[in-house]
Amino acid sequence: MINDFLIKKLDLLEEHSLSEGIAKNAFFDLDNTLLVGDIGELIILAILKEKLKFEMNWNDYQNCIIQFGEPFAYKEIIKAKKGNTIDDLKQLTKTILQDSNPYHYVESKFSIQKDKPKPNKELKSLIQELIYRNFNIFVVTAGSHFVAESIIELWFPEIPNENVYGVKNHIINGLLTDELEHPYPINEGKGLILEQILNGQKALITVGDSPNDLYMFGQTHQKGLKLIVDHKANKTFKVLKNIDNLSNIHFINWG
């Protein structure tokens, strides 16, 4: 699944790691990167359908994006999950991903059908190769931390849970609250998470698909590798336009 060109790049990274003492750390975004598709909106629909606690409806979420933009909406939908348990979210996530059938949500005259995400096979193979090469693999996502853990447990069990970083609700008496732990990995927060993990070093590999990943790409070593998942042309263009260094970039297929 990994082409020879990328294998040669990995071989070169091994040389840089050895000669310059760069730790073998690789960081992956989740939605539309490790996943072909997005889990966030699917979880909203599933919470509404299964009558879990959620302080928004679908129109609230859509209006939030229109009025305030995606980064703000990401935080609000995670806050809106307050009152549920961690197990509520994790079981719901794993249940709806047991099959690949499109998910249907119907309420009154409103209905929507949404495709379920699936693992990116090329990146799944890359992770296996990186583990063989003794890399530490991390997942940093702007989505719900507990939903992300469920997906990693289900489809990428080779990545330990302690290496998953999502937007995390504070827990009180076993229930999610609407207070979020800082820093939360949205936009510049992704860079802050990497700074905490790397402790003054830089990442050898970063992998993402959108402008939300720019701060993560910014934590890549000058001799490291930035992998851009070519999900949507306009997002890829924005990444290339705003990334701080165009060297050592490689593209990954989305489908």
Side-chain angles (χ1 to χ4, degrees):
M1 286 293 296
I2 304 177
N3 61 48
D4 291 341
F5 184 64
L6 183 52
I7 288 291
K8 289 179 181 178
K9 283 184 175 288
L10 296 180
D11 290 340
L12 186 59
L13 289 184
E14 295 265 22
E15 294 177 15
H16 292 325
S17 173
L18 186 60
S19 63
E20 303 197 23
I22 310 168
K24 293 181 181 179
N25 293 312
F27 294 83
F28 291 78
D29 173 48
L30 183 63
D31 290 310
N32 293 308
T33 300
L34 283 180
L35 299 182
V36 179
D38 187 305
I39 189 67
E41 293 188 346
L42 182 62
I43 291 297
I44 294 174
L45 295 174
I47 287 174
L48 293 171
K49 184 174 181 178
E50 301 303 323
K51 307 300 183 183
L52 272 66
K53 294 180 175 65
F54 195 63
E55 296 196 337
M56 301 175 76
N57 59 37
W58 185 255
N59 284 335
D60 292 335
Y61 164 65
Q62 294 294 318
N63 290 334
C64 190
I65 291 178
I66 293 169
Q67 292 183 38
F68 303 107
E70 287 184 350
F72 182 85
Y74 293 159
K75 289 184 287 185
E76 293 307 300
I77 62 173
I78 293 170
K79 290 179 182 179
K81 294 180 175 74
K82 77 173 188 178
N84 297 295
T85 68
I86 294 173
D87 192 57
D88 288 335
L89 289 185
K90 297 186 89 166
Q91 288 300 320
L92 179 66
T93 303
K94 291 178 180 179
T95 297
I96 63 176
L97 294 179
Q98 285 179 343
D99 61 62
S100 59
N101 299 325
Y103 195 79
H104 297 269
Y105 175 77
V106 180
E107 183 178 356
S108 187
K109 295 181 180 180
F110 172 76
S111 67
I112 186 172
Q113 175 176 301
K114 192 164 186 64
D115 290 335
K116 296 177 182 178
K118 59 184 179 181
N120 184 307
K121 292 181 180 180
E122 187 173 356
L123 291 182
K124 178 76 170 175
S125 296
L126 174 61
I127 285 174
Q128 296 294 336
E129 178 68 21
L130 293 178
I131 290 174
Y132 174 75
R133 293 171 182 255
N134 295 315
F135 273 73
N136 300 309
I137 312 296
F138 298 87
V139 177
V140 185
T141 174
S144 166
H145 176 85
F146 305 113
V147 171
E149 279 190 341
S150 304
I151 293 169
I152 297 306
E153 291 167 2
L154 184 65
W155 285 337
F156 301 91
E158 60 271 40
I159 302 174
N161 265 4
E162 57 265 29
N163 287 7
V164 178
Y165 293 81
V167 184
K168 184 184 292 188
N169 308 74
H170 278 288
I171 306 296
I172 296 179
N173 296 326
L175 299 177
L176 278 66
T177 71
D178 58 1
E179 184 179 353
L180 305 179
E181 293 189 9
H182 292 271
Y184 36 77
I186 299 175
N187 283 341
E188 62 271 19
K190 283 200 170 186
L192 294 174
I193 293 290
L194 265 66
E195 285 181 3
Q196 288 185 356
I197 296 170
L198 293 169
N199 194 26
Q201 294 193 14
K202 294 291 184 181
L204 201 54
I205 297 175
T206 50
V207 192
D209 76 294
S210 76
N212 187 48
D213 300 311
L214 283 168
Y215 291 91
M216 182 172 70
F217 286 131
Q219 292 296 320
T220 315
H221 194 280
Q222 62 180 356
K223 293 189 176 179
L225 180 61
K226 296 182 279 286
L227 299 177
I228 299 175
V229 178
D230 194 11
H231 165 221
K232 288 185 177 179
N234 64 328
K235 287 190 173 184
T236 300
F237 175 76
K238 288 179 181 178
V239 171
L240 294 175
K241 182 179 178 180
N242 293 287
I243 204 164
D244 59 358
N245 188 343
L246 287 169
S247 63
N248 296 328
I249 287 175
H250 183 80
F251 292 96
I252 298 290
N253 292 325
W254 179 70

